[in-house]
Amino acid sequence: MTHFAIEVAGEANPLSVQTLYQTLSAAASTDPQQIKTGAQQLQNWENHPGFYSSLQSIFIDSSLPVEVRHLCVIQLKNGVDKYWRKTATNSIPKTEKERIRSRCIESGIKESNPRLALQNALMIARIVRYEYPADWPDAISTIVSNLRSVLQSHSNSLELTSTLLILLEVIKELSTARIQRTRVSLQAAASEVLQVLGSLYHDKTRTWLTFLAGGDDGEAAMGSIQQSLLALRVLRRILVAGWDFPNRSSQFQDIWTLLNDHFREILALISNTALSFHGNARQLIEKLLRQIAKLHVNIAKDHPAGFSLLESSIPLLSAYWSLVDHFGETFGSGTTDNGLTMNERDGDFDDSIMPLMEFLSLKGLQLVRACLRIVFNPARTFKYQNEMDKVEKGLSRDVLKTGFLTEAFAQTAMQTLVTRFFVLRPDDIRDWNEQPEEWEQKETGDADVAEFSIRPCAEKLLLDLILNYKMQLIHPLMSVFGHVASNQTQDVFLKNSVYAAIGLAAPVLEDRIDFNPFLRNTLKHEVQIQQPGYNVLRRRIAIVLGQWLVVKNGLDRELVYQIFQHLLNNDDPWNDLVVRITAGRQLKEIILPFEFNKMAFKPYSATILTRLMTLIEEVELSETKFALLSTLSVVIQSMEEEISPFADKIVAFLPPLWDQAGKEFLSKQLILGILSTLISALKGESQKYYHLIIPLIDNSVNVQSESYEQLVEDALGLWEATLQQTSSDAVPQLIALAPRLFPVLEAGSDVLPTALHIMETHVYLAPREMLQSIGPLLPSLTSLLKGARREVTGTVLSIVELLMRSALDIGGDEALRVLTLELLQAQFLQTIVAGLHGAYESHQTTGPNRSRTWLDVLVETDYLSLLSRLALSSAGILLDVLATAMPKQGKEERMGWILTEWFRHLDNISHPEKKKLNCLALTALLKTNEPWILIHLQDLMAIWTEVIVELYEDGEASGDCLLYLNPDAMQDGRETAEEERQRKLMFGDPVHRLDLKAFVREHVRQAIEAVGGEAAFQTQWVVNVDQEVLQEFGRLGVM
């Protein structure tokens, strides 16, 4: 091995290939101490030049231990992810990248260990993702060239497999790229890739098919089978990503035809029960079929017009449906395990454990769904850019609609789906009994469950058919429903299937079925039948009721509540765990609709809540527990204040669940949400639970807590709800929580607006305590003034404005001056003044080189409103603030520019209260009797005239419309404690306490007296006012 050293400043252990190898050996050992030391040293070397190329040098040396080489390539792959981008901090140097790139493909081809070859291929794919096509334009052609060389040299199959693996990972990586340039370059290379791969696939497949046709069991053809499968995996991805319009490419059509021919031939071969296979040959051949089936679905979804216009598409669809129909004959009697696992290599669900015919049938159903979208949802399916695309779109829809998706097909498909694929299979019943929670969770699933399980996919397909063939399917569906609903059949499993169809079709049938008689005469009795199999029907009835109550008005809700009360009863042996969990889930759908009446539900609430909470305690799966807690939250929210009798029980029920949740943060988030909902419903009564709630909030919003990131948002929601309902005689522990907000605000995140609102609420609740503790937080508030979102800036200014008003109410001018000094120390007020000065300078310049301001109109209004509070309270404090913020300017200069900008901006203030506030503040400055305000007498008269006219909209008799005289007049009896505090503070606001006309009259008279009377005032100041402005002001009758 070559030895060289790279000296690193400040490192006791310089980087060299030898020291790196020793460190890797330690990190790959079984000694915990060596592993820890080695891992730390590797981390120290991460950003050092030569580290990753040295890792590659060790990896390439096949004489070294596999464990060390494996660790090498993992480190190298992770390094590419973190440091290969040019914009990454401490990115890998260009020369080192070139060295790594020059050796990666060749070393990967020659790698004999499959595990190492895979990791190297993944690493190459990452590099290509970052560098293709700009910095490595020949990446794909280089790999293809190597593939040709391997094929021509007839070298060992290992090199061929390794080369195909590299190409597979590269194509997979590039096919997911969203950058248009990458996609276009991949499409440009697709033809070359397809030429080589198509020939390879054809040759290898023909080889092993010939062997099998000659009676061989596959042993001699194993290598060919494996290589044809690997080639097909690459083909599938390049065919999907390489062409936008596959129907226009003869090369694509040739390989498409070949693959479809192989699909039929191999399927017939696999179906031959007389044929035996060696080892895992059958499994590999089945994987070939699965890959081709995936390709069919991928092309139909990604290239709808291209799929429809390929010549063999209609026969292909018909063949798939025949396969589906044939498989459906035995579906209900099968005992298949539908579980799915994750395949580490592909990152896809491992479908190989699903029986082949079931998998192909699933793909057939998915193909039909894709075709329905092509025909009936073209706006969402098609992407076109020119006239030919539009023509092909229309043609493809016509081809499918006339050639496959006929009305006769829709009726046949509906019957097949309902009678064959909606039935529960024996393995379903087994899992129902043996693993009830797991089975119920699997059946509920998520939005993607139809991609991996045949019954959910069949349900989705039926819904698609009903929505798009309403007139053709309603009558036969109603006929079957009428037969079943009239109790003419006792086949529980048939009823379950038909009820499932009726539930799915609820949006279409809601005006065709009188559901109440069915509910009262059939469902009511069927949920009480205690016979084998009727637990299946009970579960289905719960689901159907949840589906119908969402779309159907006027249902007998009280009977529905009685049914759910019954289904949640664990004393009934036929209400097994699956039935009760399903009822618990569907109860949310019963409660949610708009027409829910809490008083109608109240008689059943005690029993239902008790049984629901018992069920939550009984279940073990976190997903199930989460779903049932979600239902409980909806019940609490919908019942509002009527939940009060059950509050003690609910609150006592939650702490054990919190402890059981451990690190299941989704459940904890929901528990916090339930408490928030409960607090809002209970209003003032909630204070008796603060001894439990406050510690919960305290721990969850602690930035040092390991659960902070997961719980902070919901904990802040609980904190906010608690404050809103807390009376003015607040508990000290709640007020003491306020300092917890400081680090949350400093950290900044999506919860910032909520945290700021909580701080504002704390000021309303305990202004004196907040004034005493706010100092350390003011620098953080200052940092939010510039660059933050408008709503954040607005809340920050609202908090400070509220603090100013509180200081004035508590301690007068002296307390306000103390707060102002703290704001100046935090550079808060300086930031505001600087922002206003920037806006002023911007408005003094024009043209392309004009001065720019970062203040928008709304923020500037907030800034001036804050200064208005100071001016209205104490003009002296305002002048001191401006002097501190602009120490290099004289008073006349300072007041000159700020009043110019202030009067200019008044026209941009549309909010009546803020406009009046600014008008009051500018008027209050007349007390100073300074020339810098009196010189703006014309501006003052203009704004007085404008605002007084707006406020006295009905003339003198109406008075100032913003003047509120009776604080209790606006109380509606439903306000929260916080809203009450806000209302009282609003009535103490000078904006609502001072009559503007009287305020102006008083200050003008003071100004006249200060200059020596009306004559002096006229000579010195009024003479400069335009006559038109004087006349308009005079009509107001202020003087």
Side-chain angles (χ1 to χ4, degrees):
M1 184 190 303
T2 303
H3 295 274
F4 62 93
I6 302 173
E7 295 294 339
V8 181
E11 283 291 339
N13 195 9
L15 175 62
S16 71
V17 174
Q18 184 62 38
T19 55
L20 178 57
Y21 172 72
Q22 293 170 352
T23 303
L24 288 164
S25 298
S29 71
T30 56
D31 185 337
Q33 185 57 43
Q34 287 194 45
I35 293 173
K36 181 179 179 181
T37 304
Q40 183 60 53
Q41 183 60 63
L42 291 173
Q43 187 176 352
N44 293 340
W45 280 334
E46 267 189 4
N47 301 323
H48 295 162
F51 174 63
Y52 292 105
S53 58
S54 299
L55 283 172
Q56 189 183 38
S57 296
I58 296 174
F59 167 69
I60 291 172
D61 190 343
S62 59
S63 66
L64 298 177
V66 171
E67 293 76 13
V68 174
R69 297 178 63 222
H70 185 256
L71 182 56
C72 263
V73 73
I74 293 294
Q75 289 279 327
L76 183 54
K77 184 183 70 172
N78 293 341
V80 168
D81 283 337
K82 292 169 65 177
Y83 302 115
W84 197 274
R85 291 185 183 89
K86 296 175 183 177
T87 56
T89 305
N90 301 313
S91 64
I92 300 172
K94 183 178 180 180
T95 54
E96 189 173 2
K97 287 182 182 179
E98 291 172 351
R99 179 171 172 78
I100 294 170
R101 205 171 61 194
S102 67
R103 299 186 293 173
C104 60
I105 294 177
E106 182 180 356
S107 62
I109 292 173
K110 296 184 180 301
E111 180 55 57
S112 59
N113 185 295
R115 186 172 58 146
L116 301 185
L118 172 61
Q119 295 302 323
N120 187 71
L122 291 170
M123 183 266 294
I124 295 171
R126 301 287 202 281
I127 295 175
V128 174
R129 176 68 176 264
Y130 296 138
E131 302 222 331
Y132 182 79
D135 299 315
W136 197 1
D138 61 342
I140 294 178
S141 60
T142 299
I143 300 170
V144 173
S145 176
N146 278 279
L147 180 58
R148 281 198 180 100
S149 299
V150 171
L151 289 171
Q152 291 169 2
S153 64
H154 302 287
S155 59
N156 64 68
S157 61
L158 206 55
E159 289 191 1
L160 177 58
T161 300
S162 297
T163 310
L164 287 172
L165 185 60
I166 292 171
L167 186 58
L168 171 64
E169 298 302 337
V170 167
I171 299 299
K172 282 172 62 176
E173 193 72 41
L174 293 179
S175 63
T176 61
R178 296 183 179 181
I179 300 174
Q180 182 65 17
R181 182 177 60 177
T182 303
R183 295 179 63 84
V184 170
S185 299
L186 177 61
Q187 290 175 353
S191 180
E192 180 186 12
V193 175
L194 182 55
Q195 183 180 5
V196 179
L197 275 178
S199 176
L200 170 62
Y201 165 77
H202 178 268
D203 293 344
K204 295 296 180 182
T205 303
R206 188 46 52 197
T207 297
W208 64 261
L209 279 173
T210 303
F211 271 99
L212 291 176
D216 191 279
D217 65 359
E219 181 178 7
M222 283 296 291
S224 295
I225 297 174
Q226 292 171 340
Q227 289 164 356
S228 65
L229 175 59
L230 192 51
L232 181 57
R233 291 174 64 195
V234 186
L235 275 174
R236 177 167 74 87
R237 286 168 173 84
I238 197 64
L239 288 171
V240 174
W243 283 266
D244 283 334
F245 304 98
N247 57 300
R248 302 176 191 174
S249 167
S250 59
Q251 187 184 18
F252 184 99
Q253 292 183 48
D254 290 343
I255 192 69
W256 179 261
T257 301
L258 174 67
L259 289 171
N260 288 342
D261 290 343
H262 282 176
F263 185 74
R264 287 190 295 271
E265 185 177 356
I266 297 170
L267 185 57
L269 186 71
I270 286 292
S271 303
N272 185 355
T273 55
L275 191 63
S276 61
F277 294 90
H278 171 77
N280 65 340
R282 182 185 182 92
Q283 287 74 23
L284 291 174
I285 295 170
E286 287 187 358
K287 285 185 177 182
L288 277 160
L289 290 172
R290 295 171 194 267
Q291 287 293 320
I292 297 175
K294 286 181 179 181
L295 174 66
H296 292 151
V297 175
N298 292 153
I299 295 295
K301 288 183 176 180
D302 292 1
H303 307 293
F307 173 81
S308 307
L309 298 178
L310 288 167
E311 289 185 5
S312 58
S313 291
I314 298 302
L316 179 67
L317 288 167
S318 299
Y320 264 110
W321 188 254
S322 296
L323 190 151
V324 168
D325 189 51
H326 178 71
F327 177 72
E329 294 175 359
T330 57
F331 178 77
S333 60
T335 55
T336 304
D337 186 356
N338 289 332
L340 296 172
T341 61
M342 185 70 71
N343 182 301
E344 182 180 356
R345 175 173 298 185
D346 284 346
D348 299 326
F349 280 94
D350 182 2
D351 48 63
S352 62
I353 63 174
M354 180 185 287
L356 177 66
M357 298 310 295
E358 182 172 351
F359 177 82
L360 296 180
S361 298
L362 173 61
K363 292 303 163 187
L365 296 176
Q366 291 172 358
L367 263 179
V368 177
R369 290 197 69 206
C371 291
L372 285 168
R373 284 194 293 271
I374 293 171
V375 173
F376 296 103
N377 296 293
R380 295 184 177 182
T381 306
F382 288 90
K383 297 176 288 185
Y384 52 81
Q385 299 174 338
N386 54 46
E387 194 61 34
M388 181 181 286
D389 301 344
K390 296 180 183 179
V391 171
E392 288 188 348
K393 167 190 170 182
L395 184 59
S396 65
R397 295 175 64 198
D398 292 341
V399 166
L400 288 175
K401 201 165 187 179
T402 57
F404 181 67
L405 295 175
T406 62
E407 294 180 3
F409 168 78
Q411 294 179 357
T412 302
M414 183 190 73
Q415 183 177 1
T416 299
L417 294 172
V418 174
T419 59
R420 296 181 179 177
F421 289 101
F422 280 22
V423 298
L424 293 180
R425 306 164 79 179
D427 62 321
D428 288 310
I429 302 302
R430 181 200 67 211
D431 291 344
W432 177 314
N433 294 322
E434 295 178 1
Q435 298 178 309
E437 286 190 55
E438 289 79 0
W439 185 87
E440 192 277 340
Q441 175 62 29
K442 184 183 72 173
E443 287 298 300
T444 304
D446 53 27
D448 295 330
V449 69
E451 294 295 318
F452 312 111
S453 185
I454 200 163
R455 186 166 48 250
C457 186
E459 291 176 353
K460 293 281 188 182
L461 176 55
L462 177 67
L463 183 58
D464 292 341
L465 289 168
I466 290 173
L467 290 174
N468 294 304
Y469 293 90
K470 296 178 185 176
M471 302 309 298
Q472 294 79 13
L473 299 185
I474 284 179
H475 178 71
L477 187 58
M478 290 284 293
S479 176
V480 175
F481 171 68
H483 173 74
V484 172
S486 62
N487 288 313
Q488 294 181 22
T489 177
Q490 299 300 315
D491 187 338
V492 172
F493 291 96
L494 176 60
K495 281 190 174 185
N496 179 68
S497 298
V498 175
Y499 287 3
I502 295 302
L504 290 169
V508 175
L509 298 178
E510 57 96 8
D511 60 343
R512 301 293 185 114
I513 293 180
D514 188 356
F515 200 81
N516 269 331
F518 175 54
L519 174 64
R520 293 166 181 154
N521 301 329
T522 302
L523 299 185
K524 174 184 176 182
H525 300 293
E526 287 180 338
V527 295
Q528 300 178 68
I529 296 175
Q530 299 197 358
Q531 294 179 15
Y534 272 85
N535 54 339
V536 171
L537 206 56
R538 291 186 183 195
R539 169 183 174 269
R540 179 57 59 186
I541 289 171
I543 296 173
V544 169
L545 290 176
Q547 292 167 323
W548 272 83
L549 257 75
V550 175
V551 299
K552 184 76 172 179
N553 295 326
L555 291 185
D556 188 344
R557 289 183 173 273
E558 292 197 26
L559 178 54
V560 172
Y561 301 149
Q562 292 173 24
I563 290 174
F564 273 81
Q565 181 177 256
H566 169 68
L567 293 177
L568 287 167
N569 180 14
N570 61 352
D571 292 331
D572 187 324
W574 296 104
N575 288 336
D576 58 30
L577 194 55
V578 171
V579 172
R580 287 182 286 122
I581 291 173
T582 304
R585 283 184 187 268
Q586 295 301 319
L587 180 62
K588 181 167 67 173
E589 306 303 322
I590 303 301
I591 301 296
L592 273 177
F594 180 74
E595 61 180 29
F596 172 78
N597 186 321
K598 59 189 176 186
M599 299 311 295
F601 180 72
K602 188 176 180 180
Y604 313 98
S605 58
T607 305
I608 288 177
L609 278 169
T610 300
R611 291 174 177 176
L612 179 61
M613 288 189 286
T614 300
L615 179 61
I616 294 172
E617 291 176 322
E618 181 180 352
V619 298
E620 297 178 356
L621 280 185
S622 57
E623 295 88 348
T624 306
K625 201 176 287 284
F626 179 85
L628 296 175
L629 282 170
S630 179
T631 298
L632 178 61
S633 178
V634 168
V635 173
I636 294 170
Q637 185 175 6
S638 301
M639 289 189 68
E640 298 177 330
E641 69 278 358
E642 296 300 327
I643 199 68
S644 179
F646 315 105
D648 288 348
K649 189 171 185 178
I650 294 171
V651 172
F653 159 76
L654 293 176
L657 287 181
W658 180 274
D659 295 335
Q660 292 169 20
K663 293 189 177 181
E664 293 288 346
F665 294 119
L666 285 177
S667 294
K668 287 189 171 182
Q669 289 168 1
L670 200 48
I671 290 171
L672 292 170
I674 289 172
L675 286 171
S676 300
T677 304
L678 191 62
I679 293 296
S680 299
L682 295 177
K683 299 187 183 302
E685 295 180 32
S686 62
Q687 288 191 213
K688 61 182 178 179
Y689 304 120
Y690 283 5
H691 66 285
L692 292 174
I693 292 172
I694 292 175
L696 210 57
I697 298 172
D698 188 25
N699 179 261
S700 300
V701 300
N702 183 356
V703 294
Q704 303 300 324
S705 169
E706 63 176 6
S707 60
Y708 171 79
E709 292 290 341
Q710 291 81 10
L711 300 181
V712 62
E713 183 175 355
D714 297 278
L716 288 175
L718 175 57
W719 192 349
E720 190 174 28
T722 304
L723 286 169
Q724 289 170 350
Q725 305 301 337
T726 301
S727 60
S728 297
D729 54 339
V731 291
Q733 298 95 319
L734 184 59
I735 297 172
L737 274 179
R740 282 290 191 204
L741 279 174
F742 298 173
V744 175
L745 293 174
E746 290 170 358
S749 65
D750 292 339
V751 301
L752 186 59
T754 306
L756 286 169
H757 181 254
I758 290 172
M759 172 166 286
E760 185 177 24
T761 306
H762 264 282
V763 178
Y764 277 113
L765 179 64
R768 188 182 301 274
E769 290 80 358
M770 290 301 293
L771 283 167
Q772 292 171 351
S773 61
I774 198 69
L777 184 63
L778 293 179
S780 296
L781 295 182
T782 302
S783 66
L784 295 174
L785 283 181
K786 195 170 182 179
R789 300 189 301 272
R790 162 66 182 80
E791 60 270 24
V792 170
T793 305
T795 308
V796 168
L797 292 165
S798 177
I799 291 170
V800 174
E801 184 178 337
L802 186 58
L803 286 167
M804 287 179 174
R805 291 182 58 191
S806 300
L808 197 64
D809 291 343
I810 292 171
D813 286 355
E814 187 59 34
L816 179 60
R817 188 174 292 277
V818 171
L819 175 62
T820 303
L821 288 174
E822 288 186 312
L823 290 167
L824 287 169
Q825 290 171 0
Q827 298 294 306
F828 187 90
L829 294 173
Q830 291 92 322
T831 302
I832 288 179
V833 174
L836 292 171
H837 189 257
Y840 165 77
E841 289 185 329
S842 174
H843 296 133
Q844 304 309 304
T845 56
T846 58
N849 296 322
R850 66 176 294 185
S851 173
R852 303 289 177 182
T853 177
W854 49 269
L855 275 190
D856 65 28
V857 172
L858 294 176
V859 174
E860 184 170 356
T861 298
D862 291 339
Y863 277 17
L864 290 171
S865 297
L866 193 68
L867 295 187
S868 295
R869 290 293 179 187
L870 286 177
L872 193 55
S873 303
S874 171
I877 294 178
L878 174 64
L879 296 177
D880 290 344
V881 166
L882 294 174
T884 304
M886 291 285 181
K888 295 182 179 180
Q889 295 180 353
K891 182 191 294 187
E892 295 292 334
E893 182 182 0
R894 285 193 299 268
M895 299 310 299
W897 70 258
I898 198 166
L899 288 173
T900 299
E901 180 62 21
W902 205 329
F903 281 110
R904 185 208 64 78
H905 185 75
L906 287 173
D907 287 338
N908 295 320
I909 302 177
S910 58
H911 195 283
E913 294 181 350
K914 289 190 175 182
K915 197 156 192 173
K916 180 179 178 181
L917 173 63
N918 280 264
C919 185
L920 289 170
L922 290 167
T923 305
L925 291 178
L926 286 174
K927 285 184 180 181
T928 64
N929 197 36
E930 292 279 1
W932 43 258
I933 183 63
L934 290 169
I935 202 171
H936 286 281
L937 185 60
Q938 176 166 310
D939 295 320
L940 282 168
M941 287 186 172
I943 194 62
W944 290 335
T945 303
E946 177 185 347
V947 178
I948 288 174
V949 167
E950 290 177 0
L951 297 182
Y952 289 73
E953 50 191 13
D954 295 329
E956 189 70 31
S958 67
D960 187 335
C961 66
L962 289 179
L963 199 62
Y964 300 159
L965 301 177
N966 182 5
D968 297 322
M970 297 176 67
Q971 185 176 5
D972 63 0
R974 294 176 57 86
E975 63 184 1
T976 64
E978 180 187 16
E979 290 168 342
E980 181 183 1
R981 288 189 289 272
Q982 291 173 342
R983 175 174 54 82
K984 289 181 178 178
L985 191 66
M986 179 181 66
F987 277 96
D989 189 341
V991 172
H992 300 297
R993 189 168 42 83
L994 297 176
D995 182 289
L996 180 58
K997 187 179 286 189
F999 190 81
V1000 171
R1001 182 183 297 116
E1002 176 188 351
H1003 282 75
V1004 170
R1005 284 177 177 168
Q1006 289 177 356
I1008 292 172
E1009 293 173 3
V1011 298
E1014 290 188 13
F1017 191 70
Q1018 175 75 28
T1019 303
Q1020 294 179 36
W1021 305 111
V1022 178
V1023 70
N1024 298 317
V1025 180
D1026 291 343
Q1027 286 301 308
E1028 184 179 344
V1029 174
L1030 272 174
Q1031 290 172 5
E1032 291 292 329
F1033 178 67
R1035 291 193 188 101
L1036 298 177
V1038 174
M1039 302 304 297

